[in-house]
């Protein structure tokens, strides 16, 4: 069981995409100056969760301290570094995460909007990862984290800096190739909430 779970962690929790955002204005659909609208902030949150929110780190049976760099879908990269402390039962293994996430010219497109992201200086992700096998053909990955920090973004001819404070609760079912969950909080001065339910992210390692 130990080796099976560990192998799944290395494949399924590959370059994840942070995961948990901000305060810069009121929560209307109109941007302040050249800031983001509510709809654009929600797309940015989804981009952050899909690429920067879940950061892969390699683990062993005792503990992990280190970093890993993963390519973004449109160019650039995300680096995650910190610690994952494991705890294992007969059919599950959980990790207490404390990860610093730094995007560098990371390009992601969500809802037809293309963002270029950089850390200003970073996002911090804390919370838990849980990998479980409740049935012979069922492998579940649960993410319950918060993400706090600051990002720089570019969107079309606009750019800015966003403070982020969000929570992410997500479950990935590798048997059904589907995920359920949501992310919510504040980002770029807007109160945001996005539904993360749907098919697995197409480029998720191991899928």
């Amino acid at each position: 069981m130990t080796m099976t779970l560990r192998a799944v962690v290395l494949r399924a929790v590959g370059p994840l995409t942070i995961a948990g955002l901000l305060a810069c204005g009121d929560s209307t659909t109109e941007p302040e100056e050249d800031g983001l609208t509510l709809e654009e902030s929600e797309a940015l949150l989804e981009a952050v969760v899909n690429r920067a929110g879940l950061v892969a780190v390699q683990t062993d049976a005792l503990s992990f301290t280190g970093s890993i760099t993963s390519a973004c879908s449109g160019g650039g990269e995300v680096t995650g570094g910190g610690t994952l402390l494991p705890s294992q039962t007969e059919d599950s293994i959980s990790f207490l995460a404390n990860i610093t996430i730094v995007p560098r010219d990371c390009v992601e497109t969500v809802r037809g909007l293309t963002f270029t992201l950089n850390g200003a200086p970073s996002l911090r992700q804390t919370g838990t990862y849980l990998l479980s096998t409740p049935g012979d053909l069922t492998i579940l990955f649960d993410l319950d984290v918060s993400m706090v920090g600051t990002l720089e973004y570019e969107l079309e001819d606009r750019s800015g800096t966003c403070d982020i404070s969000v929570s992410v609760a997500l479950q990935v079912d590798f048997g059904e190739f589907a995920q359920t969950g949501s992310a919510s909080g504040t980002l770029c001065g807007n109160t945001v909430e996005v539904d993360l339910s749907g098919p697995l992210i197409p480029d998720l390692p191991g899928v």
Side-chain angles (χ1 to χ4, degrees):
M1 181 62 192
T2 299
M3 293 302 297
T4 301
L5 284 172
R6 197 176 310 162
V8 174
V9 168
L10 295 179
R11 286 171 57 83
V13 193
L16 295 176
T17 64
I18 146 154
L21 298 171
L22 289 67
C24 330
D26 57 35
S27 31
T28 68
T29 58
E30 295 298 322
E32 283 197 5
E33 300 177 352
D34 292 330
L36 298 182
T37 65
L38 174 59
E39 291 80 5
E40 290 167 341
S41 295
E42 289 175 340
L44 176 57
L45 172 57
E46 192 169 336
V48 168
V49 171
N50 283 352
R51 181 55 56 189
L54 308 176
V55 174
V57 291
Q58 297 208 351
T59 103
D60 59 33
L62 297 177
S63 65
F64 168 85
T65 301
S67 65
I68 190 169
T69 297
S70 133
C72 298
S73 63
E77 62 186 24
V78 171
T79 297
T83 59
L84 284 180
L85 301 179
S87 176
Q88 189 163 348
T89 66
E90 182 178 351
D91 63 356
S92 70
I93 182 168
S94 64
F95 297 88
L96 184 63
N98 188 346
I99 306 294
T100 297
I101 300 162
V102 182
R104 295 183 177 90
D105 296 322
C106 174
V107 179
E108 290 294 326
T109 299
V110 174
R111 304 184 187 184
L113 301 174
T114 299
F115 296 92
T116 301
L117 306 177
N118 282 281
S122 62
L123 295 176
R124 184 184 181 195
Q125 181 188 107
T126 57
T128 58
Y129 303 156
L130 175 65
L131 190 74
S132 59
T133 55
D136 291 340
L137 300 178
T138 304
I139 301 174
L140 302 178
F141 174 71
D142 289 271
L143 180 80
D144 189 359
V145 298
S146 64
M147 294 191 288
V148 177
T150 308
L151 287 179
E152 293 180 352
Y153 71 86
E154 294 179 12
L155 174 63
E156 298 174 339
D157 59 349
R158 288 173 288 155
S159 62
T161 300
C162 274
D163 295 325
I164 295 172
S165 178
V166 298
S167 298
V168 182
L170 179 68
Q171 182 178 86
V172 178
D173 186 330
F174 290 99
E176 298 293 333
F177 292 95
Q179 62 185 37
T180 56
S182 63
S184 62
T186 56
L187 186 153
C188 298
N190 289 310
T191 299
V192 291
E193 183 171 2
V194 296
D195 184 359
L196 302 174
S197 302
L200 287 184
I201 300 166
D203 59 351
L204 188 67
V207 176

